[in-house]
Amino acid sequence: MTMNEVHESTEFLPEHAPRLDWAKLAPEAYKAMIRLDTATRQGVEPTLLNLVKIRASQINHCAFCLDMHSKDALAAGESAERIIQLNAWTESRHFYTAKEIAAIELTEAITVLTDGFVPDEVYAKAASEFDETELARLIVAIATINTWNRFGVSTRLVPGRYTPDS
């Protein structure tokens, strides 16, 4: 029996329902988020942006965003191995470049503000890997995915139906 056959014969639990359709109920805010998201794609390398979006979504437990950004990354040619290892990157550093590790560390520091401010050493490491313009754009990208995550988890967006454009 193949894995597909196992999955086809398995009765999974039902999907939860979303709490509300925030995009429909707050269309101007949604449109502003789309514009902000479009702006974050300017000047941040796509592979790096996908890693940042996935890592922030892991930390924030946003299943909808994890589904979307993992599929986007795979469609863009990212390896399943690097996506799988991202949640344990501290033990899997050899899967990533120094620049990617700096971005992942900065993503964690900005995402988990309950631990305090972004540590100077994390910021300095990112500043050594990115020029000021790149760093500013990376910070905007991290803040943007964190905002998307908060919409996703608060409204309980349902994962699993997203299909990448490519």
Side-chain angles (χ1 to χ4, degrees):
M1 185 176 276
T2 68
M3 285 307 294
N4 285 338
E5 291 169 331
V6 169
H7 286 288
E8 288 172 11
S9 66
T10 302
E11 189 173 329
F12 292 103
L13 295 174
E15 282 184 1
H16 66 268
R19 289 180 172 147
L20 57 80
D21 185 349
W22 81 270
K24 183 178 178 182
L25 297 168
E28 292 307 311
Y30 180 74
K31 290 175 194 171
M33 282 300 300
I34 293 294
R35 288 190 303 273
L36 181 59
D37 195 67
T38 300
T40 65
R41 296 171 198 209
Q42 312 291 316
V44 179
E45 195 272 315
T47 299
L48 183 70
L49 184 59
N50 283 329
L51 291 174
V52 163
K53 287 179 175 184
I54 294 167
R55 185 64 192 125
S57 299
Q58 288 172 335
I59 294 166
N60 290 321
H61 306 285
C62 186
F64 181 85
C65 292
L66 274 171
D67 178 60
M68 173 185 286
H69 300 303
S70 294
K71 287 175 179 175
D72 283 344
L74 288 166
E78 183 59 83
S79 73
E81 188 172 50
R82 282 173 31 106
I83 293 170
I84 292 165
Q85 291 299 318
L86 190 55
N87 200 40
W89 68 268
T90 57
E91 297 295 323
S92 305
R93 291 175 179 266
H94 59 284
F95 286 96
Y96 309 100
T97 66
K99 193 170 194 170
E100 290 169 340
I101 291 294
I104 293 165
E105 288 178 335
L106 186 62
T107 299
E108 289 191 2
I110 292 172
T111 300
V112 187
L113 291 175
T114 55
D115 289 348
F117 295 104
V118 174
D120 289 339
E121 56 276 3
V122 170
Y123 186 87
K125 187 173 188 179
S128 73
E129 293 290 340
F130 298 91
D131 67 33
E132 283 190 332
T133 301
E134 291 173 320
L135 187 55
R137 291 174 175 173
L138 178 60
I139 291 168
V140 170
I142 295 166
T144 302
I145 188 56
N146 273 280
T147 302
W148 282 119
N149 290 164
R150 278 140 179 81
F151 285 123
V153 298
S154 63
T155 63
R156 295 190 73 205
L157 294 178
V158 180
R161 298 182 187 168
Y162 176 78
T163 303
D165 290 334
S166 52

